[in-house]
Amino acid sequence: MKHSEHRAFSCNKGGHQICIAEAVQVAESLCRQRKQRFTSIRRRVLELVWHQHKPIGAYQVLEALQQEGRAAPPTVYRALDFLQQMGLVHRIASLNAYVGCAHPGAPHDGQFLICESCKALAELDAAEISNAIEQSADRSGFKPHRQTVEIMGLCPRCR
Amino acid sequence: MKHSEHRAFSCNKGGHQICIAEAVQVAESLCRQRKQRFTSIRRRVLELVWHQHKPIGAYQVLEALQQEGRAAPPTVYRALDFLQQMGLVHRIASLNAYVGCAHPGAPHDGQFLICESCKALAELDAAEISNAIEQSADRSGFKPHRQTVEIMGLCPRCR
DNA sequence: ATGATAATGTTATATTATAACGTTTCAATT
DNA sequence: AATTGAAACGTTATAATATAACATTATCAT
Protein backbone atom coordinates (compact mmCIF):
# COMPACT_ATOMS: atom_id res chain seq x y z
CA MET A 1 0.00 0.00 0.00
CA LYS A 2 1.96 2.88 -1.29
CA HIS A 3 -0.01 5.54 0.49
CA SER A 4 1.00 4.26 3.88
CA GLU A 5 4.54 5.25 3.11
CA HIS A 6 3.35 8.80 2.94
CA ARG A 7 1.40 8.86 6.13
CA ALA A 8 3.85 11.36 7.55
CA PHE A 9 1.98 13.97 5.55
CA SER A 10 -1.52 12.61 5.93
CA CYS A 11 -3.89 13.12 8.77
CA ASN A 12 -6.50 11.40 10.83
CA LYS A 13 -7.22 8.08 9.20
CA GLY A 14 -5.10 5.02 9.66
CA GLY A 15 -2.07 6.65 11.19
CA HIS A 16 -0.60 7.97 14.39
CA GLN A 17 -1.38 11.53 13.30
CA ILE A 18 -3.37 13.29 15.93
CA CYS A 19 -5.81 15.92 14.85
CA ILE A 20 -7.14 18.92 16.62
CA ALA A 21 -9.71 17.37 18.95
CA GLU A 22 -7.50 14.41 19.71
CA ALA A 23 -4.54 16.69 20.31
CA VAL A 24 -6.53 18.60 22.89
CA GLN A 25 -7.67 15.44 24.60
CA VAL A 26 -4.17 14.07 24.80
CA ALA A 27 -2.92 17.39 26.10
CA GLU A 28 -5.60 17.48 28.75
CA SER A 29 -4.73 14.01 29.87
CA LEU A 30 -1.00 14.61 29.95
CA CYS A 31 -1.37 17.83 31.90
CA ARG A 32 -3.62 16.11 34.42
CA GLN A 33 -1.06 13.35 34.85
CA ARG A 34 1.66 15.90 35.42
CA LYS A 35 -0.47 18.12 37.63
CA GLN A 36 -0.13 21.01 35.25
CA ARG A 37 -2.96 23.39 34.46
CA PHE A 38 -4.39 23.12 31.00
CA THR A 39 -6.03 26.52 31.07
CA SER A 40 -8.41 27.86 28.47
CA ILE A 41 -5.73 30.05 26.93
CA ARG A 42 -3.38 27.12 26.63
CA ARG A 43 -6.12 25.00 25.17
CA ARG A 44 -7.07 27.70 22.69
CA VAL A 45 -3.46 28.23 21.59
CA LEU A 46 -3.00 24.51 21.13
CA GLU A 47 -6.13 24.41 19.00
CA LEU A 48 -4.87 27.28 16.89
CA VAL A 49 -1.49 25.65 16.43
CA TRP A 50 -3.21 22.48 15.26
CA HIS A 51 -5.77 24.31 13.19
CA GLN A 52 -3.70 24.01 10.05
CA HIS A 53 -1.23 21.24 9.61
CA LYS A 54 1.37 23.84 8.92
CA PRO A 55 3.67 25.84 11.13
CA ILE A 56 2.03 28.98 12.47
CA GLY A 57 3.74 32.14 13.69
CA ALA A 58 3.28 33.47 17.20
CA TYR A 59 1.79 36.67 15.87
CA GLN A 60 -0.68 34.75 13.74
CA VAL A 61 -1.81 33.02 16.89
CA LEU A 62 -2.00 36.40 18.54
CA GLU A 63 -4.20 37.81 15.76
CA ALA A 64 -6.59 34.93 16.14
CA LEU A 65 -6.77 35.42 19.90
CA GLN A 66 -7.37 39.13 19.47
CA GLN A 67 -10.46 38.42 17.43
CA GLU A 68 -11.87 36.68 20.47
CA GLY A 69 -10.92 39.34 23.00
CA ARG A 70 -7.89 41.24 24.16
CA ALA A 71 -4.50 39.64 24.01
CA ALA A 72 -0.87 40.68 23.93
CA PRO A 73 2.32 38.97 22.82
CA PRO A 74 3.31 37.61 26.24
CA THR A 75 0.03 35.75 26.43
CA VAL A 76 0.89 33.83 23.31
CA TYR A 77 4.53 33.28 24.08
CA ARG A 78 3.74 32.03 27.56
CA ALA A 79 1.25 29.55 26.25
CA LEU A 80 3.62 28.41 23.53
CA ASP A 81 6.44 28.04 26.05
CA PHE A 82 4.26 25.97 28.29
CA LEU A 83 3.11 23.75 25.45
CA GLN A 84 6.69 23.27 24.34
CA GLN A 85 7.75 22.30 27.84
CA MET A 86 4.94 19.77 27.93
CA GLY A 87 6.16 18.39 24.61
CA LEU A 88 2.88 19.30 22.92
CA VAL A 89 4.26 21.83 20.48
CA HIS A 90 7.53 22.16 18.60
CA ARG A 91 9.22 25.35 17.53
CA ILE A 92 10.59 25.33 13.99
CA ALA A 93 13.73 27.43 14.24
CA SER A 94 14.22 27.97 10.54
CA LEU A 95 10.72 29.42 10.24
CA ASN A 96 10.24 31.11 13.61
CA ALA A 97 7.01 29.18 13.79
CA TYR A 98 5.25 26.56 15.84
CA VAL A 99 3.60 23.25 15.10
CA GLY A 100 1.69 20.67 17.10
CA CYS A 101 3.71 17.67 18.20
CA ALA A 102 2.72 14.53 16.38
CA HIS A 103 4.05 12.19 19.06
CA PRO A 104 3.37 13.71 22.43
CA GLY A 105 3.76 11.74 25.60
CA ALA A 106 7.49 11.82 25.96
CA PRO A 107 9.20 15.13 25.28
CA HIS A 108 11.64 14.83 22.39
CA ASP A 109 13.20 16.82 19.59
CA GLY A 110 11.49 15.94 16.37
CA GLN A 111 12.79 15.96 12.86
CA PHE A 112 10.76 17.93 10.40
CA LEU A 113 10.03 17.70 6.71
CA ILE A 114 8.75 21.01 5.42
CA CYS A 115 7.31 21.46 1.95
CA GLU A 116 8.65 24.57 0.28
CA SER A 117 5.67 24.64 -2.02
CA CYS A 118 2.58 24.08 0.12
CA LYS A 119 4.26 24.66 3.51
CA ALA A 120 2.91 21.38 4.87
CA LEU A 121 5.00 19.88 7.62
CA ALA A 122 5.52 16.33 8.76
CA GLU A 123 7.24 15.25 11.90
CA LEU A 124 9.55 12.28 11.79
CA ASP A 125 11.08 10.49 14.67
CA ALA A 126 13.62 8.50 12.75
CA ALA A 127 16.04 6.63 14.95
CA GLU A 128 18.12 6.29 11.80
CA ILE A 129 18.74 10.03 11.79
CA SER A 130 19.25 10.36 15.52
CA ASN A 131 21.71 7.51 15.47
CA ALA A 132 23.67 8.95 12.58
CA ILE A 133 23.84 12.23 14.42
CA GLU A 134 24.87 10.63 17.66
CA GLN A 135 27.59 8.60 16.00
CA SER A 136 28.97 11.51 14.02
CA ALA A 137 28.96 13.67 17.11
CA ASP A 138 30.67 10.98 19.11
CA ARG A 139 33.43 10.79 16.56
CA SER A 140 34.10 14.46 17.23
CA GLY A 141 34.09 13.91 20.97
CA PHE A 142 30.84 15.79 21.25
CA LYS A 143 28.03 14.84 23.59
CA PRO A 144 24.73 15.70 21.94
CA HIS A 145 21.89 16.89 24.06
CA ARG A 146 19.34 18.46 21.77
CA GLN A 147 18.93 18.38 18.01
CA THR A 148 17.35 20.68 15.46
CA VAL A 149 16.68 18.84 12.22
CA GLU A 150 14.59 20.70 9.66
CA ILE A 151 14.48 19.49 6.08
CA MET A 152 13.09 21.75 3.39
CA GLY A 153 11.96 20.19 0.14
CA LEU A 154 8.89 18.95 -1.67
CA CYS A 155 6.17 16.85 -0.12
CA PRO A 156 4.63 13.86 -1.91
CA ARG A 157 1.78 15.95 -3.29
CA CYS A 158 3.95 18.77 -4.60
CA ARG A 159 6.97 16.95 -5.95
CA MET B 1 46.03 9.72 18.15
CA LYS B 2 42.99 10.53 20.09
CA HIS B 3 43.15 14.23 19.47
CA SER B 4 42.62 13.79 15.77
CA GLU B 5 39.15 12.54 16.48
CA HIS B 6 38.40 15.94 17.93
CA ARG B 7 39.74 18.05 15.14
CA ALA B 8 36.25 19.30 14.40
CA PHE B 9 36.69 21.63 17.35
CA SER B 10 40.33 22.45 16.90
CA CYS B 11 41.85 25.04 14.67
CA ASN B 12 44.79 25.70 12.41
CA LYS B 13 47.23 22.88 12.84
CA GLY B 14 46.95 19.59 11.10
CA GLY B 15 43.37 19.87 9.95
CA HIS B 16 41.15 21.25 7.30
CA GLN B 17 40.11 24.08 9.59
CA ILE B 18 40.64 27.39 7.95
CA CYS B 19 41.47 30.34 10.12
CA ILE B 20 40.89 33.99 9.63
CA ALA B 21 43.64 34.88 7.17
CA GLU B 22 43.21 31.70 5.22
CA ALA B 23 39.46 32.20 5.13
CA VAL B 24 39.94 35.62 3.61
CA GLN B 25 42.36 34.30 1.03
CA VAL B 26 40.05 31.51 0.01
CA ALA B 27 37.17 33.95 -0.19
CA GLU B 28 39.17 36.30 -2.35
CA SER B 29 40.10 33.53 -4.69
CA LEU B 30 36.57 32.12 -4.94
CA CYS B 31 35.08 35.52 -5.61
CA ARG B 32 37.63 36.20 -8.31
CA GLN B 33 36.81 32.87 -9.93
CA ARG B 34 33.14 33.69 -9.88
CA LYS B 35 33.61 37.29 -10.96
CA GLN B 36 32.07 38.57 -7.76
CA ARG B 37 33.32 41.60 -5.93
CA PHE B 38 35.04 40.91 -2.64
CA THR B 39 34.66 44.45 -1.36
CA SER B 40 36.26 45.81 1.77
CA ILE B 41 33.00 45.63 3.68
CA ARG B 42 32.53 42.02 2.71
CA ARG B 43 36.10 41.24 3.65
CA ARG B 44 35.74 42.99 6.98
CA VAL B 45 32.50 41.19 7.81
CA LEU B 46 34.05 37.86 6.92
CA GLU B 47 36.98 38.64 9.19
CA LEU B 48 34.63 39.54 12.00
CA VAL B 49 32.62 36.35 11.53
CA TRP B 50 35.82 34.33 11.70
CA HIS B 51 37.25 36.36 14.54
CA GLN B 52 35.93 34.00 17.15
CA HIS B 53 35.29 30.40 16.34
CA LYS B 54 31.81 30.90 17.60
CA PRO B 55 28.61 32.06 16.01
CA ILE B 56 28.27 35.82 16.00
CA GLY B 57 25.08 37.87 15.76
CA ALA B 58 24.48 40.35 12.98
CA TYR B 59 24.22 43.18 15.47
CA GLN B 60 27.50 42.19 17.08
CA VAL B 61 29.09 42.49 13.66
CA LEU B 62 27.37 45.83 13.30
CA GLU B 63 28.76 47.08 16.60
CA ALA B 64 32.25 46.17 15.51
CA LEU B 65 31.80 47.96 12.19
CA GLN B 66 30.46 51.03 13.93
CA GLN B 67 33.66 51.34 15.93
CA GLU B 68 35.45 51.75 12.63
CA GLY B 69 33.05 54.24 11.11
CA ARG B 70 29.38 54.60 10.34
CA ALA B 71 27.32 51.54 9.57
CA ALA B 72 23.69 50.49 9.61
CA PRO B 73 21.96 47.12 9.71
CA PRO B 74 21.49 46.74 5.96
CA THR B 75 25.23 46.99 5.49
CA VAL B 76 25.76 43.97 7.66
CA TYR B 77 22.86 41.94 6.37
CA ARG B 78 23.84 42.56 2.77
CA ALA B 79 27.36 41.43 3.41
CA LEU B 80 26.17 38.37 5.32
CA ASP B 81 23.71 37.53 2.55
CA PHE B 82 26.44 37.78 -0.03
CA LEU B 83 28.81 35.65 1.99
CA GLN B 84 26.11 33.04 2.49
CA GLN B 85 25.37 32.96 -1.22
CA MET B 86 29.06 32.43 -1.88
CA GLY B 87 29.02 29.58 0.61
CA LEU B 88 31.52 31.36 2.84
CA VAL B 89 29.27 31.81 5.84
CA HIS B 90 26.51 29.75 7.38
CA ARG B 91 23.53 31.04 9.30
CA ILE B 92 22.70 29.10 12.45
CA ALA B 93 18.92 29.21 12.60
CA SER B 94 18.58 28.13 16.19
CA LEU B 95 20.86 30.96 17.33
CA ASN B 96 20.10 33.69 14.81
CA ALA B 97 23.80 33.90 14.31
CA TYR B 98 26.48 33.43 11.70
CA VAL B 99 29.63 31.40 11.42
CA GLY B 100 32.39 31.03 8.85
CA CYS B 101 32.09 28.03 6.61
CA ALA B 102 34.72 25.43 7.33
CA HIS B 103 34.53 23.84 3.90
CA PRO B 104 34.01 26.56 1.32
CA GLY B 105 34.36 25.92 -2.36
CA ALA B 106 31.11 24.19 -3.03
CA PRO B 107 28.01 25.66 -1.41
CA HIS B 108 26.36 23.18 0.93
CA ASP B 109 24.27 22.99 4.07
CA GLY B 110 26.50 22.05 6.93
CA GLN B 111 25.71 20.18 10.09
CA PHE B 112 26.68 21.93 13.27
CA LEU B 113 27.79 20.87 16.71
CA ILE B 114 27.30 23.68 19.18
CA CYS B 115 28.62 23.59 22.72
CA GLU B 116 26.04 24.80 25.21
CA SER B 117 28.77 25.58 27.69
CA CYS B 118 31.49 27.44 25.79
CA LYS B 119 29.45 28.22 22.64
CA ALA B 120 32.14 26.78 20.39
CA LEU B 121 30.86 25.47 17.10
CA ALA B 122 32.13 22.79 14.77
CA GLU B 123 30.91 22.14 11.31
CA LEU B 124 30.46 18.58 10.17
CA ASP B 125 29.79 17.38 6.70
CA ALA B 126 28.84 13.85 7.56
CA ALA B 127 27.51 11.89 4.63
CA GLU B 128 26.24 9.48 7.25
CA ILE B 129 23.77 12.11 8.48
CA SER B 130 22.80 13.38 5.04
CA ASN B 131 22.16 9.84 3.88
CA ALA B 132 20.04 8.99 6.89
CA ILE B 133 18.01 12.13 6.27
CA GLU B 134 17.65 11.43 2.59
CA GLN B 135 16.54 7.87 3.20
CA SER B 136 14.07 8.79 5.91
CA ALA B 137 12.65 11.56 3.76
CA ASP B 138 12.38 9.22 0.81
CA ARG B 139 10.37 6.79 2.86
CA SER B 140 7.86 9.60 3.42
CA GLY B 141 7.77 10.43 -0.26
CA PHE B 142 9.56 13.67 0.45
CA LYS B 143 12.21 15.17 -1.81
CA PRO B 144 14.75 16.97 0.35
CA HIS B 145 16.37 20.10 -0.93
CA ARG B 146 17.96 21.86 1.99
CA GLN B 147 18.73 20.71 5.50
CA THR B 148 19.15 22.46 8.81
CA VAL B 149 20.98 20.26 11.28
CA GLU B 150 22.08 21.91 14.52
CA ILE B 151 23.12 19.78 17.46
CA MET B 152 23.40 21.35 20.87
CA GLY B 153 25.47 19.60 23.50
CA LEU B 154 28.90 19.57 25.09
CA CYS B 155 32.15 19.84 23.19
CA PRO B 156 35.19 17.67 24.00
CA ARG B 157 36.66 20.30 26.29
CA CYS B 158 33.50 20.96 28.26
CA ARG B 159 31.97 17.52 28.60
C1' DA C 1 -11.26 31.62 54.92
C1' DT C 2 -6.29 32.11 54.20
C1' DG C 3 -2.10 32.29 52.27
C1' DA C 4 1.16 30.69 48.83
C1' DT C 5 1.86 29.73 44.07
C1' DA C 6 0.88 29.88 39.44
C1' DA C 7 -1.23 32.18 35.68
C1' DT C 8 -2.60 36.20 33.35
C1' DG C 9 -2.96 41.33 32.08
C1' DT C 10 -0.58 45.27 30.64
C1' DT C 11 2.86 48.40 29.12
C1' DA C 12 7.07 48.98 27.40
C1' DT C 13 11.07 47.59 25.07
C1' DA C 14 14.67 44.44 23.17
C1' DT C 15 16.32 41.86 19.24
C1' DT C 16 16.54 40.45 14.57
C1' DA C 17 15.66 41.63 9.88
C1' DT C 18 13.92 44.09 5.72
C1' DA C 19 11.77 47.88 2.64
C1' DA C 20 12.48 51.75 -0.03
C1' DC C 21 15.02 54.98 -2.31
C1' DG C 22 18.85 57.92 -3.34
C1' DT C 23 23.98 57.96 -4.20
C1' DT C 24 28.37 56.11 -5.25
C1' DT C 25 31.54 52.90 -7.26
C1' DC C 26 33.14 49.91 -10.68
C1' DA C 27 34.14 47.84 -14.83
C1' DA C 28 33.10 47.23 -19.63
C1' DT C 29 32.64 49.60 -23.67
C1' DT C 30 33.04 53.40 -26.66
C1' DA D 1 39.62 59.35 -21.01
C1' DA D 2 34.40 59.73 -21.19
C1' DT D 3 30.05 57.11 -21.03
C1' DT D 4 27.01 54.20 -19.14
C1' DG D 5 24.65 50.40 -16.93
C1' DA D 6 24.80 47.36 -13.14
C1' DA D 7 26.15 46.40 -8.69
C1' DA D 8 27.19 47.96 -4.20
C1' DC D 9 26.47 51.03 -0.58
C1' DG D 10 24.34 54.84 2.54
C1' DT D 11 20.46 56.24 4.99
C1' DT D 12 16.06 56.40 7.14
C1' DA D 13 12.32 54.13 8.50
C1' DT D 14 9.84 50.20 9.84
C1' DA D 15 8.55 45.21 10.07
C1' DA D 16 8.65 40.89 12.58
C1' DT D 17 9.84 38.22 16.45
C1' DA D 18 10.47 37.93 21.35
C1' DT D 19 11.13 39.31 26.28
C1' DA D 20 11.33 42.33 30.72
C1' DA D 21 9.03 44.04 34.48
C1' DC D 22 5.47 44.52 37.45
C1' DA D 23 0.51 44.67 38.76
C1' DT D 24 -3.58 41.76 39.18
C1' DT D 25 -6.30 37.65 39.30
C1' DA D 26 -7.22 32.80 39.74
C1' DT D 27 -6.31 28.34 41.80
C1' DC D 28 -4.95 25.00 45.04
C1' DA D 29 -3.65 23.21 49.54
C1' DT D 30 -4.27 23.92 53.94
Side-chain angles (χ1 to χ4, degrees):
Chain A
M1 191 185 188
K2 183 155 200 190
H3 205 67
S4 71
E5 295 170 1
H6 297 177
R7 72 190 183 291
F9 277 95
S10 66
C11 177
N12 274 334
K13 328 204 162 184
H16 43 243
Q17 275 288 9
I18 299 166
C19 272
I20 179 162
E22 280 181 352
V24 168
Q25 277 198 331
V26 170
E28 211 158 30
S29 153
L30 280 173
C31 288
R32 197 165 33 231
Q33 275 176 41
R34 296 171 191 164
K35 301 194 198 293
Q36 297 292 317
R37 297 185 203 162
F38 192 58
T39 66
S40 63
I41 289 176
R42 289 168 178 177
R43 171 195 311 267
R44 190 74 192 104
V45 170
L46 185 63
E47 285 170 355
L48 289 165
V49 165
W50 272 100
H51 188 251
Q52 287 182 302
H53 292 267
K54 301 175 183 176
I56 186 173
Y59 276 74
Q60 287 179 267
V61 173
L62 178 59
E63 268 187 64
L65 284 184
Q66 284 175 333
Q67 299 194 340
E68 304 164 3
R70 281 179 204 114
T75 300
V76 173
Y77 283 103
R78 282 171 187 150
L80 289 171
D81 287 350
F82 171 83
L83 294 169
Q84 284 178 263
Q85 278 166 29
M86 289 296 108
L88 296 165
V89 160
H90 293 289
R91 179 170 193 276
I92 308 300
S94 58
L95 300 177
N96 295 332
Y98 303 82
V99 69
C101 172
H103 312 121
H108 60 279
D109 309 319
Q111 301 137 359
F112 304 96
L113 305 177
I114 305 162
C115 181
E116 289 175 319
S117 170
C118 72
K119 314 302 177 195
L121 178 150
E123 179 177 346
L124 298 178
D125 270 291
E128 189 180 355
I129 296 175
S130 302
N131 290 342
I133 285 172
E134 205 136 333
Q135 284 169 26
S136 295
D138 250 30
R139 236 178 286 118
S140 297
F142 187 86
K143 183 169 174 47
H145 177 238
R146 206 164 54 74
Q147 46 169 281
T148 297
V149 178
E150 296 167 7
I151 316 303
M152 313 299 293
L154 290 175
C155 76
R157 282 181 198 136
C158 295
R159 66 184 297 183
Chain B
M1 193 185 184
K2 183 153 199 189
H3 205 67
S4 70
E5 298 170 358
H6 296 177
R7 72 190 183 291
F9 277 95
S10 67
C11 179
N12 273 334
K13 327 204 163 182
H16 44 244
Q17 274 289 9
I18 300 164
C19 271
I20 180 161
E22 280 181 351
V24 168
Q25 278 198 331
V26 169
E28 212 157 28
S29 154
L30 281 173
C31 288
R32 195 163 38 231
Q33 276 176 41
R34 298 173 189 163
K35 301 193 198 292
Q36 297 293 317
R37 298 185 203 162
F38 192 58
T39 65
S40 62
I41 289 176
R42 290 168 176 176
R43 171 196 311 267
R44 191 71 193 105
V45 169
L46 184 64
E47 286 169 357
L48 288 164
V49 165
W50 272 100
H51 188 252
Q52 289 184 301
H53 292 267
K54 301 175 184 178
I56 185 173
Y59 276 75
Q60 287 179 268
V61 173
L62 178 59
E63 268 187 64
L65 285 184
Q66 285 175 332
Q67 301 194 338
E68 304 164 3
R70 281 179 205 112
T75 300
V76 173
Y77 282 102
R78 282 171 186 149
L80 289 172
D81 287 349
F82 172 84
L83 294 169
Q84 283 177 265
Q85 277 165 30
M86 290 295 108
L88 296 165
V89 160
H90 293 288
R91 179 170 192 274
I92 307 301
S94 58
L95 299 177
N96 295 332
Y98 303 82
V99 70
C101 173
H103 312 120
H108 60 280
D109 309 318
Q111 299 137 359
F112 304 96
L113 306 178
I114 306 162
C115 181
E116 289 176 318
S117 169
C118 71
K119 314 302 177 193
L121 178 150
E123 178 177 347
L124 297 179
D125 271 291
E128 188 180 355
I129 296 175
S130 301
N131 291 342
I133 285 172
E134 205 136 332
Q135 285 168 26
S136 295
D138 251 29
R139 238 177 285 119
S140 298
F142 187 87
K143 183 167 174 50
H145 177 239
R146 205 165 54 73
Q147 47 170 278
T148 298
V149 178
E150 297 168 6
I151 317 303
M152 314 298 294
L154 290 176
C155 77
R157 283 181 198 135
C158 295
R159 68 185 296 185

